[in-house]
Amino acid sequence: MTTPQILSIATLIGMMALFLWGRFRYDVTAILALLAALALGIVSPEDAFKGFSDDIVVIVGSALVISAAVQRSGVIERGLRVIGRRVTRVRSQLIVLTASVGIASALVKNIGALAMLMPASFQMAKKNDASPSVFLMPMSFAALLGGLMTLVGTSPNIIVSRVREEMTGEAFGMFDYTPVGLGLFVMGLVYLRFGYRLLPRDRRAAPTMGEALDIRGYVTEVVLPTGSPAIGETIQAFLDRHENEVTITQMLRAGLRSPPVAETVLREDDTLILGGDPDALERVIAGDRLAYEGEERREKENGNLTSEIGVIEAVINVGSRLEGQSAGRLRLQHRFGVNLIAISRRGERLSRRLANTTLGAGDVVVLQGVLDTMPEKLRELGCLPLAERDLRLGSKRATWLPISILGGAMLLTALGWVPVAVAFFAAAGLVMVTGSISPREAYDNVEWPILIMLGALIPVSDSLRTTGASDLIATTLAQVATALPVWGAVALILAAAMAVTPFLNNAATVLVMAPIAAQFAGDLGYRPEAFLMATAVGAGCDFLTPIGHQCNTLVLGPGGYRFGDYARLGAPLSVLVLTVGTPLILLFWPLQ
């Protein structure tokens, strides 16, 4: 073993130790590894930053932007709500959620699919008076399994495809992963249907500052525009369809007040004063395509700034310009460029039009305007911003447009007409250009630490190849495998990848293991596909820790989980993946 090989292996071992220690965040650990590799001379200065121009970084970043746009559209969330009305038992809801997130993970990056469907799990848990922890970890594991089914479902698949192309001249196609991934996904759904009982029932997330405020009783004013599904319904039918999540405190027709009688039929241009939680109000308004009072005027006045419009919750301070005034009298939109979307007043049920409601100190308001100028406007009005909450009330939804853009990108890549990186980069640009998501929101939803980690680790992991260390490791594994049957050689690679990924991160694992697996196959005289597939499956299946994959990290806080909870549910699943995955890989990817 040469000195560069020893240094390369030592650098990776040290990096794994830092990941396991957890003292530094994973992107910082990757930066330290890159700096160490530079200092030791196993990575040249010319190659140090080539990872940041790699297609993988572009694909992962673009996929996160597209996923955020799809999530913002609310289409999938609304579809699950329709199913949720008919599925009321926890076990049945678990099947719906895990199957949905798994299928979605095959279409978009699994971290994005999970983030997209997490709100539905909170809603179902709230209806059953259960902890979201019952759903969240099973959903994370289902997202990992679902991501195995296509090229773009998870980062390891993309990396493994590139390694195969370098070796054979032919990359894995979009659906080459499907036979093995689908079999493991179905097996995982069956296990999670029964295995969720292994999770402790007392896990709950710590309340956020927004939840501590407990502001629920908002009222908002909306108009029924042409084409709204609510037109022609009675008030009672409207409320029943929305499961009585909102109330109608007042109705105005042709400028005149009309009592909200249950039998009254809603007509176009009726004005409704709706009350309820912010999330419930937003779902009703978006689902029935209702328009906020003054929304058209606001869009005309702001013109092309619509993409930067957002909302802020604030409380009216003593001495505020709003105190003792109404929005209409103060001409809030004309003078200050903000629109009053909703009001909450403790201990009082508001029923007047928002423009005519006299505001007072202590009222909580939702103001809509250009986000860049909102801090200045709040100071000018004498309002104090509240703890940040994910508040969609007053935000526009692009409905099916982002899903159509994503579908087009998927089709182009599946047909092989456009490279994955180009298709997803173009799709990310289109969702911003079309207003499906604002540039501000797009950049906020990119997981920059993940991209930094990928860019830094690519040259570090490549040092195994350039120093010849990967050949040495592959030769050692091959010597071990000579005493094993054919299936044992594939199982060895699968088990090795699964053992490393909890501590190294899945993308980092495949960057290290894929070249080793390919060389390993060559030393044994086998075709590389089965071994590369085993690497992809192993790297995508971290069910033991919250640090090996972003999906597991994402549910750690909301689920209130502890480190050891993952192994309780994940260890049996890991054994099943090894047991079922090995024969599936050999069935669809023969060694000769």
Side-chain angles (χ1 to χ4, degrees), residues 12-129:
L12 287 171
I13 292 174
M15 183 177 64
M16 290 183 190
L18 285 179
F19 275 122
L20 182 59
W21 183 28
R23 175 63 177 84
F24 305 107
R25 202 170 64 179
Y26 52 83
D27 55 327
V28 177
T29 297
I31 291 172
L32 291 174
L34 177 58
L35 292 175
L38 279 167
L40 294 172
I42 56 176
V43 172
S44 67
E46 294 79 13
D47 295 333
F49 306 112
K50 67 179 182 180
F52 293 99
S53 62
D54 197 279
D55 285 355
I56 299 168
V57 176
V58 176
I59 293 169
V60 171
S62 300
L64 289 170
V65 172
I66 299 166
S67 296
V70 173
Q71 178 188 4
R72 191 174 183 273
S73 73
V75 172
I76 295 178
E77 181 184 332
R78 289 201 297 272
L80 277 179
R81 282 179 55 78
V82 173
I83 299 173
R85 296 190 189 107
R86 298 173 174 82
V87 180
T88 57
R89 300 179 63 185
V90 170
R91 287 177 295 181
S92 301
Q93 290 173 340
L94 182 67
I95 293 174
V96 170
L97 289 171
T98 52
S100 299
V101 76
I103 293 170
S105 294
L107 304 178
V108 297
K109 195 171 185 296
N110 46 23
I111 179 73
L114 179 60
M116 186 166 41
L117 295 175
M118 279 176 63
S121 70
F122 294 131
Q123 294 165 20
M124 289 186 178
K126 185 176 180 181
K127 285 185 178 181
N128 292 327
D129 194 26

Side-chain angles (χ1 to χ4, degrees), residues 65-76 78 108 116 396-410 426-438:
V65 172
I66 299 166
S67 296
V70 173
Q71 178 188 4
R72 191 174 183 273
S73 73
V75 172
I76 295 178
R78 289 201 297 272
V108 297
M116 186 166 41
K396 272 195 163 296
R397 285 187 170 188
T399 60
W400 291 97
L401 184 58
I403 295 180
S404 301
I405 293 172
L406 172 61
M410 293 289 296
L430 283 174
V431 295
M432 288 190 282
V433 169
T434 57
S436 300
I437 188 172
S438 71

Side-chain angles (χ1 to χ4, degrees), residues 497-505 509 541-545 547-549:
M498 290 179 68
V500 172
T501 193
F503 312 111
L504 191 56
N505 187 289
T509 295
C541 291
D542 171 33
F543 307 120
L544 301 177
T545 74
I547 60 174
H549 195 281

Side-chain angles (χ1 to χ4, degrees), residues 159 198 216 255 309 390 436 473 514:
I159 304 170
L198 296 172
R216 299 182 179 182
I309 295 295
D390 183 15
S436 300
I473 296 172

Side-chain angles (χ1 to χ4, degrees), residues 13 28 61 64 103 135 154 170 182 197 209 215 219 239 245 304 315 336 339 376 381 437-438 441 490 529 545:
I13 292 174
V28 177
L64 289 170
I103 293 170
F135 300 127
T154 185
E170 181 182 1
L182 181 60
R197 295 187 180 90
M209 285 298 295
I215 301 170
V219 293
L239 296 175
E245 287 189 323
N304 62 357
V315 62
F336 298 95
N339 197 28
E376 178 185 347
L381 291 169
I437 188 172
S438 71
E441 291 173 312
V490 175
E529 287 81 3
T545 74

Side-chain angles (χ1 to χ4, degrees), residues 224-306:
L224 273 67
T226 304
S228 171
I231 296 174
E233 280 187 324
T234 65
I235 287 179
Q236 189 60 54
F238 172 84
L239 296 175
D240 289 343
R241 181 163 57 86
H242 292 294
E243 301 178 345
N244 293 298
E245 287 189 323
V246 298
T247 60
I248 299 178
T249 61
Q250 190 60 261
M251 186 178 79
L252 294 94
R253 178 169 290 170
L256 301 176
R257 289 193 180 193
S258 176
V261 180
E263 292 77 19
T264 300
V265 177
L266 297 173
R267 301 177 186 172
E268 184 178 342
D269 294 329
D270 282 350
T271 297
L272 303 178
I273 310 297
L274 298 179
D277 293 351
D279 288 344
L281 289 171
E282 189 274 338
R283 285 193 295 271
V284 171
I285 293 167
D288 282 0
R289 301 192 293 277
L290 306 179
Y292 290 97
E293 182 64 25
E295 188 171 37
E296 292 183 3
R297 181 174 68 252
R298 188 266 299 163
E299 289 186 1
K300 289 179 181 178
E301 293 179 1
N302 285 293
N304 62 357
L305 292 177
T306 302

